[in-house]
Amino acid sequence: MPDVRQGPLAGVRVLELAGLAPGPFAGMMLADHGAEVLRVDRVKAVTDAPRADVMDRGKRTIGLDLKAPEGVAAFKELAARADVVIEVFRPGVAERLGIGPADLHEVNPRLVYGRMTGWGQDGPLAATAGHDIDYVAVSGALSMLGREGDRPTPPINILGDFAGGGLMLAYGVLLALFERERTGRGRVIDAAMVDGAAVLFAMFYQGVQSGFWGPRGTNLLDTGAPMYDTYETADGEYLAVGPLEPQFWDTMVGLMGLRDLPDRNDRSQWPALKARLAEAFGSRTRAEWEELFDGSDACVSPVLSMPEAARHPHNVARGTFVEVGGVTQPVPAPRLLGVPPQDLAPATRLDDLSPWGLSKEEADKLRERGVLA
């Protein structure tokens, strides 16, 4: 029986070709809001052991040998019943396998074909290897991240893989599905992490060109300013301090009992002001500061570890985290009020492919030949 899904994407079928972070993340975002996502992995990966990745939650999974003609034919049968395909290969690989956009649009003109790569489908670097750090570097974004006088600091792989990659692909899928309502035809999405990372920094490209934004680590929002930074507390923990507006700043320093501070509007005084704040914040524990600032508009928050975040009263009250399969993880976002929560269970194997157009007899033959798991 087909999955019974709820949410705005209920009824949307997605074939997700197995890959690293950005592809599964895009599939997770769609599954989180009701799409029926079938993850197509290698046969060996499915027969060896089931995956327990958070990004596979709410999905079904099969193994299919796409190097075998029978496997390609089976994939085309599945694609004929699908609305979306998420493909994560280097440019040209899907075409060589016989499952590129042209191949699948022959069997399903309404198919939305989402392609996820680092460099994009064309350009001098398209055929070369890379990782998040490379795409973010070439986008220009990495040059802006880090403290003054220090080397650029990559923010783990969040900007390229997830924000600039998987999330942009999911957004592109929604655009294409919306357009299909008017045209009746699918579209190919070229989601490149280098493009996505660049778009995320749109405001800052303007700031650099206008002269408003200076070298990294010297600006209002990149640890240059004393009112937007982290400070260590007496117990070796940290606070995030962000009272940018004057009224919030006044609240913070008033609660701290600080007097005769350097002028925060004078950039030449920022180092001295930072030193005063560092000394003050280092005089009490994080818990003591939390108690002092609790309920105020001081814009000071504890820097929580991931386990601590799951236990924070605000997150508990909102149900921001949930435990699934023994793993604590964030619930779907954004929230659509009035929509029941989706099934967040770990990915399960799909045995009955008849709703996807592959009969039991066909599936049994493929299993016997080792093409399907």
Side-chain angles (χ1 to χ4, degrees):
M1 295 294 292
D3 286 346
V4 178
R5 307 285 288 170
Q6 297 177 309
L9 296 181
V12 174
R13 285 181 169 172
V14 180
L15 279 176
E16 177 197 306
L17 287 160
L20 298 177
F25 184 72
M28 184 196 81
M29 293 295 293
L30 300 175
D32 279 352
H33 292 286
E36 182 182 349
V37 179
L38 179 58
R39 186 177 186 277
V40 181
D41 208 333
R42 292 173 291 109
V43 171
K44 191 174 187 301
V46 173
T47 56
D48 282 354
R51 285 166 51 102
D53 195 311
V54 168
M55 291 184 292
D56 289 335
R57 67 190 188 188
K59 303 176 185 178
R60 310 300 293 275
T61 185
I62 62 171
L64 197 59
D65 184 359
L66 294 176
K67 293 184 179 180
E70 304 100 312
V72 171
F75 188 83
K76 286 184 176 179
E77 288 191 55
L78 299 175
R81 299 286 188 94
D83 297 286
V84 180
V85 164
I86 293 176
E87 179 255 296
V88 293
F89 305 138
R90 288 200 203 187
V93 172
E95 283 79 0
R96 290 196 293 273
L97 291 172
I99 57 170
D103 303 303
L104 299 190
H105 279 151
E106 284 184 2
V107 300
N108 184 357
R110 290 174 54 82
L111 186 70
V112 172
Y113 196 106
R115 316 195 81 166
M116 182 77 262
T117 60
W119 301 117
Q121 296 298 312
D122 54 18
L125 296 175
T128 65
H131 283 294
D132 175 286
I133 193 171
D134 304 298
Y135 314 134
V136 174
V138 173
S139 77
L142 184 55
S143 70
M144 308 182 71
L145 305 176
R147 292 188 175 274
E148 181 180 12
D150 204 350
R151 58 188 177 181
T153 303
I156 56 179
N157 63 326
I158 194 73
L159 283 181
D161 281 349
F162 296 106
L167 190 58
M168 290 293 182
L169 175 58
Y171 175 56
V173 165
L174 298 182
L175 294 176
L177 288 173
F178 184 76
E179 181 190 47
R180 194 180 70 174
E181 293 298 305
R182 300 195 310 273
T183 67
R185 299 189 65 83
R187 181 176 291 279
V188 180
I189 302 162
D190 179 4
M193 292 178 234
V194 65
D195 298 345
V199 168
L200 292 169
F201 277 68
M203 181 183 82
F204 301 99
Y205 286 94
Q206 176 185 353
V208 168
Q209 293 171 60
S210 68
F212 171 76
W213 200 264
R216 69 172 167 273
T218 66
N219 302 281
L220 185 65
L221 301 173
D222 64 356
T223 75
M227 49 280 196
Y228 205 85
D229 205 347
T230 58
Y231 293 89
E232 188 173 1
T233 57
D235 52 346
E237 299 292 341
Y238 292 90
L239 294 171
V241 175
L244 294 174
E245 294 81 359
Q247 66 272 29
F248 301 151
W249 172 264
D250 291 342
T251 297
M252 183 190 78
V253 298
L255 288 171
M256 295 175 73
L258 296 177
R259 302 288 185 271
D260 302 321
L261 292 174
D263 182 4
R264 75 174 207 151
N265 296 313
D266 182 352
R267 285 182 176 243
S268 69
Q269 295 296 312
W270 280 4
L273 184 50
K274 275 196 171 191
R276 286 285 304 276
L277 291 178
E279 180 182 13
F281 282 122
S283 66
R284 302 188 191 185
T285 66
R286 191 186 76 182
E288 289 173 328
W289 287 118
E290 287 183 73
E291 184 178 359
L292 178 69
F293 292 122
D294 184 41
S296 76
D297 282 343
C299 300
V300 178
S301 301
V303 177
L304 302 178
S305 67
M306 287 189 169
E308 287 177 320
R311 300 190 300 267
H312 190 277
H314 182 81
N315 294 331
V316 170
R318 283 185 57 80
T320 301
F321 295 92
V322 66
E323 186 175 305
V324 179
V327 178
T328 299
Q329 54 196 269
V331 298
R335 303 183 189 199
L336 303 177
L337 299 185
V339 176
Q342 297 300 320
D343 174 23
L344 298 182
T348 54
R349 296 173 182 176
L350 181 61
D351 296 321
D352 181 11
L353 286 167
S354 57
W356 286 80
L358 202 64
S359 69
K360 183 179 184 302
E361 292 74 19
E362 291 177 289
D364 287 343
K365 289 178 183 178
L366 292 174
R367 289 190 185 96
E368 289 173 5
R369 295 172 189 165
V371 175
L372 173 68

